[in-house]
Amino acid sequence: MTVIERKRSADVVAGSSSTPANMAPVLHRAPPCFWAVLDGESLNFVYLSASLHTFLGSDRTTALFSQSLFDYIHPEEAHHARRDLASTFATKSFVGSSI
């Protein structure tokens, strides 16, 4: 959402009459939700939800299947992510480290 769209959305919430009526549905629409299943060891993507295909398009979504979640984490942060994920699996808790 662009800055202008966010401003218009805020105006709708505030009741501004300068906001186009067609922006009101944006506020009532839930944000997209995406699901992925990762391989337990490599964290490669093995399943991606249809909603992601719709959002990214077929080519970009298909390209994810050859990648790992760690491909999207900055190399300097990867050790934190690995530690947090290992802790999550061991403790069955989503509490991560603070950086």
Side-chain angles (χ1 to χ4, degrees):
M1 190 179 286
T2 68
V3 173
I4 293 169
E5 289 170 329
R6 284 194 300 270
K7 170 70 172 111
R8 287 180 180 159
S9 295
D11 287 346
V12 169
V13 171
S16 171
S17 61
S18 65
T19 303
N22 66 348
M23 287 299 292
V26 171
L27 298 175
H28 301 291
R29 192 175 348 151
C33 179
F34 310 117
W35 287 92
V37 175
L38 305 172
D39 176 85
E41 292 186 21
S42 66
L43 296 183
N44 285 352
F45 293 95
V46 295
Y47 169 82
L48 299 164
S49 63
S51 58
L52 189 61
H53 285 268
T54 302
F55 190 76
L56 289 179
S58 184
D59 291 343
R60 290 177 65 194
T61 304
T62 300
L64 288 173
F65 284 111
S66 63
Q67 297 179 325
S68 167
L69 176 66
F70 288 111
D71 293 335
Y72 293 91
I73 298 174
H74 192 280
E76 293 177 12
E77 303 300 327
H79 67 282
H80 292 293
R82 287 183 195 281
R83 183 186 64 222
D84 287 349
L85 285 168
S87 174
T88 296
F89 292 131
T91 63
K92 298 180 182 174
S93 169
F94 285 108
V95 177
S97 63
S98 58
I99 298 174

